[in-house]
Amino acid sequence: MTISMAFSHIIQPSLMQLQPRVFINFRGEEIRYGFISHLVAAFELHGIYFFIDKYEQKGKDLTHLFKRIEESKIALAIFSGKYAQSKWCLNELAKMKTLAEKNKLKVIPIFYKVKVDDVRHQKGEFGHNFWKLARTSSGEEIKQWKEALEFVSYKMGLTLCENRYSM
């Protein structure tokens, strides 16, 4: 850790919660204790301020999370097989798309053990989970989610497979 990074941790520890630079959007149960824990450790090591919804209650109003997205400079959309089981994830993604279209947020997709095409066109395990959730959702929600999935999936990002990655 450099002196400046150590100094920023000492002087500004509360800013990590107040002014995140990176918003991490992901489906918790599937990757929280593997990939996400490594990502968070790397961000902390390098003094990168981030927001992760670790302490949010399921079903709580998304207003707080939307505010955190708006405060961020970058959002990571980490797609996994079970990502589309979550209305929270998809609603956050729709918000991220809206801000990205206004050039207020950079969105970087990470495809974690899921194909880009499956996310873009709601196919495979990802698609199965998406359409299962869609059965209990409004037409407007489904439209926003599909548009956001397509928009973000066309951005340059990272694909992580079992033993390799690609850009």
Side-chain angles (χ1 to χ4, degrees):
M1 182 182 303
T2 67
I3 293 172
S4 64
M5 289 184 339
F7 186 74
S8 69
H9 278 300
I10 294 167
I11 298 298
Q12 302 173 332
S14 64
L15 283 181
M16 188 155 35
Q17 291 179 351
L18 297 177
Q19 296 179 343
R21 298 289 182 222
V22 180
F23 183 90
I24 305 173
N25 166 258
F26 70 100
R27 175 73 170 141
E29 70 182 45
E30 188 175 15
I31 60 175
R32 181 180 303 275
Y33 301 107
F35 178 71
I36 296 299
S37 65
H38 295 289
L39 181 65
V40 165
F43 281 177
E44 289 173 344
L45 178 66
H46 294 287
I48 298 171
Y49 298 125
F50 62 91
F51 178 82
I52 189 168
D53 67 350
K54 186 175 182 178
Y55 302 109
E56 300 301 319
Q57 294 177 343
K58 284 189 174 183
K60 187 178 172 185
D61 184 8
L62 288 171
T63 307
H64 171 71
L65 293 175
F66 284 175
K67 177 121 176 86
R68 294 294 185 214
I69 294 169
E70 290 168 3
E71 292 170 346
S72 299
K73 304 293 182 216
I74 298 169
L76 300 179
I78 304 173
F79 299 110
S80 59
K82 295 182 180 179
Y83 178 96
Q85 290 177 338
S86 170
K87 280 190 176 196
W88 268 31
C89 287
L90 292 165
N91 286 331
E92 289 173 3
L93 187 69
K95 178 67 171 181
M96 291 159 43
K97 173 194 175 273
T98 299
L99 293 169
E101 288 177 324
K102 297 175 183 176
N103 292 319
K104 293 183 177 183
L105 182 70
K106 301 281 185 213
V107 180
I108 301 170
I110 298 175
F111 302 91
Y112 183 80
K113 298 182 183 179
V114 68
K115 295 178 184 173
V116 174
D117 199 52
D118 287 356
V119 172
R120 186 174 296 146
H121 300 291
Q122 299 83 55
K123 299 185 323 189
E125 177 190 4
F126 186 93
H128 172 77
N129 289 323
F130 178 87
W131 292 111
K132 187 175 178 182
L133 181 65
R135 283 186 231 133
T136 62
S137 305
S138 72
E140 184 58 31
E141 280 179 315
I142 296 166
K143 179 180 179 285
Q144 288 177 353
W145 297 340
K146 287 183 66 157
E147 288 172 357
L149 288 166
E150 184 174 357
F151 177 84
V152 173
S153 70
Y154 275 107
K155 296 207 164 282
M156 180 176 241
L158 188 65
T159 299
L160 302 172
C161 302
E162 289 298 326
N163 296 316
R164 61 183 178 82
Y165 67 91
S166 61
M167 306 250 326

